[in-house]
Structures are given as C-alpha cells and as structure tokens.
Amino acid sequence: MNDEPTILLTNDDGIDSVGLGALYEALSAVGDVTAVAPADDRSAVGRSISTNVGVTEHELGYAIDGTPADCVVAGMEVLVPDVDIVVAGCNDGANLGAYVLGRSGTVSAAVEATFFEVPAIAVSMYVPVRDDDKWDPLTDEPESYANATRATRYLLEHALESDVFEEADYLNVNAPLAVDGEATAPMEITTPSRVYEMGALKNGDEIELHDRIWEWMAEGTIPDPDGTDRRAVIEDRVSVSPLTAPHTTEHHETLDELADEYERRG
C-alpha cells in the first residue's frame, strides 16, 4: 500500500448528502478519495444488487443509478482500481443492533467490499430525535458529523497499519451527533446488541411495523447491556464493532447425523 491510501467512499443516502461530503473532506486529508455513491437516496435496501446501472461523473467522483452494493461492485471492478479500503457513510441516522446490519445499505456496502477481500468501515451518526421535522436541522451541517469523521479518519490512519483487518473484515462505526460541532466523544469497542424489539399493529387492512428501540433511545432509556453498540452511543461514546462478513458456517455433528439418517432412509 502507498503512503496515501486509495479510498472508495460510498453511502446509501446519496452522493449529495451532507454526511458523505463531511467524510469526503475529512478523509481527503489522509488519502486519495473517490466517491462512488447512489445518485439518490437508497436507504435500507440491504445488499440489493442490479444488473445494469447508469453512471454519471460527479465533482466528488461518480454517481451511480443503483444501490450501495452496486456502487461497490462498479467502483471496485471499473471505476477505482486498486482500492485500499472502502468507507461507507456517513449515514444520517444510526445503524445499531445485530438485526439492523442486514437491512442497512451503509453496512451492506462495507460487507460487499469484504468479498473483494478489501477492508471496509461503515460509518453512521446517531440523531437523538424521532420526529422528521426535528431531525433535519441536526443533520444539515457538516460540523454535526465531527465525532463520526474524527473517528473514521483515526481508524483509517491506524487500523490499516495494524493487524485489525486480519481479525475483522469490516468495522461498524456509530457516533453521537457532535454538539456545537465539537468532536469530544471517546471511543469504545463494542458488539452489536442482540436486543430485538420490532413490533406490529393491525389497523384495518394495514399492519404497521415499528421498532420500539427508537422510541426508547429518543427517551434516553434502552434495555441494552454494557459493551453493546447502542449502550455506547446513547451514552455519548463512539461505538466501533469489529465484524466479519455474514453467512459463516460451523461444523455441526447433529446435522451430520441427520444427513446420515437421510441417506439410510433412501
């Protein structure tokens, strides 16, 4: 790797989002950054993939008419050769908890990179409100992302030089919103919370799905134990979860026995 790493920057909020712009500026101080990001908002699409995507040159790199996973594949294969690391974010809103990881376009972009055997960092910012009309003013200034950008720059500078990515495929980073633009949050290494609080209510011909965790977080109360990503963020710490790509397998003797029995039964 050169002294200045080549960074592919993507997200799921769209290439013109404030969070991506804040990361682009912060990481450009330490690396050669090219954005390959969706042309518009593609939040919560997981690892959805397309067969054909349009590409348009953009002042930060390239806008892709597709998903975050599309952006990583197109970027790695065609647009940004010899990438040293993929950074996805900064997402406008947190990506916390084990059950959220597969839904998030931000995290899924990082996962996609790992199948290219390239390390990745997914970065999100927690916004401690529920109402949309209260959300926007907190996220429309680059300074709001200061905790996220400071932590990402630090990890990019030091994790690539260490053996972090020999043990982890990617890092899922969640940072508190920076009050007055000051990056003061300490860092904690965490595990994704296993607390699951999805609920559903039937209302006539519709069923409303909702995540009770967001309501509790907005109130400042959560059931998550110490050491988890949500606990760290709600207590104003930057959460860093070292993770491996999904769908890993383990040997199960009981399944071996079931397979043997299946064969015997013909």
Side-chain angles (χ1 to χ4, degrees), residues 23 26 145-155 157 183-187:
L23 265 183
Y145 298 83
N147 282 316
T149 57
R150 177 178 179 240
T152 306
R153 174 175 171 172
Y154 173 83
L155 289 168
E157 286 186 279
T184 58
M187 182 178 291

Side-chain angles (χ1 to χ4, degrees), residues 123-139:
V123 192
S124 305
M125 182 180 72
Y126 170 56
V127 185
V129 295
R130 284 284 296 166
D131 299 333
D132 289 342
D133 59 343
K134 296 179 181 178
W135 188 288
D136 290 341
L138 299 176
T139 62

